[in-house]
Amino acid sequence: MIELRKFSWMIKKELLSLKRHPPRLISILIFPIIMILLFGYGMGGDMTDLPVVVVSQSHGDLTDVTLDTIKTTDQYKVVEVMDDVDHAKERVDSGEVKAAIILPENYDSNVSQKAVTLYLDSSDQMASSTLESVTQGIFAKLSNMEASNAIVSNPSSQELENSTSPVNQSELATNTQSANVTNSIGHTFDNFKDDIALHINKIYGNIKYIDFLVPAVLGMTVMMSCMMGMGASIAGERETGELARLFMTPTSISTVVGGKIASKLIVELVRALILIFMAIVLFNVSIKGGILQTFIVLFFGALCFVGFGIMLSARTNTQEDYTQIVMPFSMPMMFVSGVFYPIETMPWILQKIAYIFPLTYLNDAMRGVMIKGQSLGDVWLDLAILLGFTALFFIIGVKRFNRDI
């Protein structure tokens, strides 16, 4: 039978325990707020403001209307309108923009079958699918536009002669000018009807969602296992007293930390090889940049997140405290760093936050190697940023490391 008085003491004792562990209390209060925000805003939002460039090599009514349509479409964010095709393609190849819409020189002429080209970065599967469907819709409407929708009849000369009032004559002159302009545009569209053909150039071929997903899932798995593993290795051993017995020997902090890092990296690299092998066997995932380069990128990621784990566990006394501290870091990284959905689907504030998380750069490098077939030299910036994070985490972790038990 429950003793109510002692039962209330137990409740009070547990609540006081939370009070004595501020990190755990803060995590309990803040974490639900973070998660609902991430689920609400970070997963599967509308694909809008995707950066594109437009190459316009023609001038005329149809070009002007096409440019206005593209600029006012929510899915596009027109970074620049230019006339250099090669430069536009270079910006797509570098990942600066998602696509280039290329209007040919004869776009406003009366020739049949004017070929518009959509030069598309297909490595981002969801963004490329959106751009492909929206662009097809725009040029299908322009190609099939009926002349009757734009033509306004001119007023007859008899109507003009019958208007004797100066005010009426002025109004008719204005109306006539407007009708002539509209009639000209309508005539232009009538000539261009059914003449626009859209050619889509997917520079990385047809990418399935699983191809987009697997590289980031590999990075996310390495992140979670490294960070959680370091919590068990340091905070857990501190809680059980194993770390205290280890420090009774004349062993330096750097030796202890270095040994734990090396052992953890060995485990994670074996895990990474298993993950890569299973992705190839089960999902037929192609690795265009080679297994060795993929493995090296994962090594950089594992080293970074082991350092992250060292930093967070440096002063935590129990494994439960460590878990409560690490979750507000690891879970947002999973949602904000583009693992499941492109970063472009998120509100702009989350897009900015994504670039302060190391997982964003690991995902970018993994997709560059596995999907785009890039070399380590092509993803050097991502790797350099990961090394920068690694150095920062290790410096903070070693300096804050609590040897006292």
Side-chain angles (χ1 to χ4, degrees):
M1 183 176 179
I2 296 178
E3 301 175 62
L4 293 179
R5 186 177 180 183
K6 294 180 180 180
F7 182 72
S8 64
W9 288 348
M10 289 301 300
I11 295 175
K12 185 176 181 180
K13 177 255 182 189
E14 293 299 323
L15 295 178
L16 288 175
S17 176
L18 285 177
K19 185 178 180 180
R20 286 193 296 268
H21 296 82
R24 192 187 304 176
L25 179 60
I26 292 172
S27 176
I28 290 173
L29 296 176
I30 299 298
F31 188 65
I33 300 174
I34 295 174
M35 290 305 299
I36 195 65
L37 288 174
L38 293 175
F39 273 110
Y41 293 113
M43 295 193 66
D46 294 332
M47 298 287 286
T48 59
D49 293 327
L50 297 170
V52 300
V53 293
V54 180
V55 179
S56 178
Q57 299 176 314
S58 62
H59 302 281
D61 294 328
L62 183 59
T63 299
D64 293 340
V65 172
T66 302
L67 291 176
D68 288 341
T69 303
I70 293 173
K71 290 178 180 179
T72 56
T73 300
D74 292 338
Q75 285 77 15
Y76 299 127
K77 178 183 179 182
V78 179
V79 176
E80 186 178 354
V81 178
M82 59 179 68
D83 56 9
D84 189 337
V85 176
D86 292 334
H87 181 49
K89 290 182 176 180
E90 287 175 2
R91 296 181 73 170
V92 179
D93 294 337
S94 67
E96 184 180 348
V97 296
K98 296 292 185 183
I101 302 172
I102 304 171
L103 307 180
E105 294 179 354
N106 63 355
Y107 190 64
D108 263 274
S109 66
N110 292 331
V111 299
S112 62
Q113 287 300 306
K114 294 175 287 295
V116 176
T117 300
L118 177 64
Y119 190 76
L120 186 62
D121 177 1
S122 58
S123 64
D124 191 338
Q125 190 268 342
M126 296 185 70
S128 64
S129 296
T130 298
L131 288 173
E132 181 179 353
S133 61
V134 170
T135 307
Q136 286 174 334
I138 287 176
F139 286 101
K141 289 181 180 179
L142 289 173
S143 181
N144 296 316
M145 184 175 290
E146 296 290 342
S148 60
N149 293 334
I151 296 176
V152 176
S153 299
N154 285 315
S156 66
S157 57
Q158 183 66 36
E159 290 174 334
L160 292 175
E161 291 175 359
N162 292 337
S163 301
T164 56
S165 169
V167 175
N168 290 337
Q169 290 178 0
S170 175
E171 290 177 352
L172 285 172
T174 302
N175 293 336
T176 302
Q177 183 180 8
S178 175
N180 288 335
V181 172
T182 309
N183 187 45
S184 173
I185 296 175
H187 178 68
T188 301
F189 281 129
D190 192 31
N191 290 335
F192 289 126
K193 182 182 176 183
D194 297 325
D195 285 345
I196 305 173
L198 178 65
H199 298 296
I200 300 174
N201 184 356
K202 298 180 180 181
I203 60 178
Y204 301 114
N206 290 315
I207 302 297
K208 304 186 297 292
Y209 181 63
I210 189 66
D211 296 320
F212 170 80
L213 187 63
V214 165
V217 169
L218 291 173
M220 180 193 69
T221 304
V222 167
M223 175 202 75
M224 293 295 293
S225 58
C226 286
M227 293 176 67
M228 291 302 179
M230 291 314 297
S233 181
I234 294 180
E237 289 183 9
R238 181 180 284 123
E239 183 178 8
T240 60
E242 294 178 45
L243 205 58
R245 291 191 292 271
L246 180 61
F247 282 143
M248 288 178 183
T249 64
T251 307
S252 65
I253 292 177
S254 58
T255 302
V256 174
V257 173
K260 290 184 176 295
I261 291 170
S263 62
K264 190 61 182 173
L265 282 176
I266 292 172
V267 172
E268 291 309 320
L269 292 179
V270 172
R271 190 199 302 265
L273 284 175
I274 295 173
L275 288 171
I276 293 172
F277 176 76
M278 295 305 294
I280 295 172
V281 172
L282 296 179
F283 303 109
N284 195 29
V285 172
S286 61
I287 303 178
K288 295 182 179 179
I291 294 178
L292 178 60
Q293 295 194 93
T294 303
F295 183 77
I296 293 173
V297 172
L298 282 176
F299 171 79
F300 276 86
L303 189 64
C304 178
F305 290 113
V306 164
F308 203 165
I310 291 287
M311 180 184 69
L312 293 181
S313 64
R315 288 191 174 275
T316 51
N317 295 321
T318 68
Q319 192 169 351
E320 185 178 356
D321 284 347
Y322 177 81
T323 302
Q324 294 296 336
I325 292 173
V326 79
M327 291 300 284
F329 290 98
S330 60
M331 294 301 289
M333 273 197 279
M334 288 174 55
F335 292 107
V336 176
S337 298
V339 175
F340 303 105
Y341 295 90
I343 294 175
E344 288 80 10
T345 65
M346 306 172 193
W348 70 270
I349 184 64
L350 293 184
Q351 294 182 34
K352 303 302 180 185
I353 292 174
Y355 290 101
I356 67 175
F357 288 137
L359 184 58
T360 300
Y361 303 97
L362 178 58
N363 290 343
D364 189 60
M366 287 291 291
R367 286 182 173 131
V369 171
M370 292 182 66
I371 298 177
K372 299 180 181 180
Q374 295 177 334
S375 66
L376 296 179
D378 295 323
V379 297
W380 71 268
L381 182 59
D382 292 317
L383 299 181
I385 293 173
L386 286 174
L387 283 178
F389 275 117
T390 302
L392 176 65
F393 295 154
F394 279 128
I395 290 171
I396 296 175
V398 171
K399 286 185 174 295
R400 295 183 68 250
F401 195 88
N402 184 11
R403 180 173 177 142
D404 299 327
I405 307 299

